[in-house]
Amino acid sequence: MNILIRGVDPIFAKELEKKANEISKKIGRDFSRNEYILMLIQNDCELRLTKLKEDKFDQAVDSLSHTLDRQTDKLQEFINSNNRLFHLLASGIDNEDQGEEL
């Protein structure tokens, strides 16, 4: 697809040309202003997509973290309940009733 950009200030066009020439020197081949603009557009789109993916990933990690915290709490409740039951079976004393015998 072709995109035509009108009304670009000549100062900015010269700056684009300068950047393209710098890249040409670095890569050892001609790199046009058009290629440079195309690269800028593609990088911008990819950056936005990457940011969106990072945000979704962060949301998933936060959700997973909250789920793990809840599971940890429930597991600790289960462990405490089992410890109480074992203590009750072994001693006949409910340690939550603070020494009250059955």
Side-chain angles (χ1 to χ4, degrees):
M1 173 187 287
N2 294 326
I3 299 174
L4 177 63
I5 302 173
R6 298 173 195 233
V8 176
D9 189 319
I11 294 172
F12 295 125
K14 287 180 184 177
E15 187 64 29
L16 291 171
E17 192 71 41
K18 179 181 167 185
K19 296 282 187 178
N21 287 334
E22 290 173 5
I23 293 173
S24 292
K25 290 176 186 174
K26 287 181 182 178
I27 64 174
R29 72 165 182 85
D30 286 339
F31 194 80
S32 71
R33 182 175 59 204
N34 288 339
E35 286 177 296
Y36 181 68
I37 292 170
L38 178 62
M39 182 183 72
L40 290 175
I41 292 169
Q42 289 172 337
N43 285 345
D44 184 64
C45 292
E46 289 173 1
L47 181 64
R48 290 171 195 258
L49 181 59
T50 300
K51 178 66 176 147
L52 177 65
K53 288 180 180 179
E54 286 175 356
D55 290 345
K56 292 283 187 183
F57 179 77
D58 289 344
Q59 289 173 357
V61 168
D62 286 344
S63 177
L64 180 61
S65 177
H66 292 303
T67 300
L68 288 174
D69 288 342
R70 285 192 309 267
Q71 287 179 345
T72 300
D73 292 342
K74 289 297 179 185
L75 181 59
Q76 188 59 51
E77 287 176 22
F78 178 72
I79 290 169
N80 293 344
S81 172
N82 281 345
N83 286 341
R84 181 176 167 216
L85 178 62
F86 292 143
H87 180 70
L88 179 63
L89 290 173
S91 68
I93 299 172
D94 187 353
N95 57 3
E96 276 204 4
D97 292 338
Q98 299 178 359
E100 188 177 308
E101 290 197 31
L102 297 176

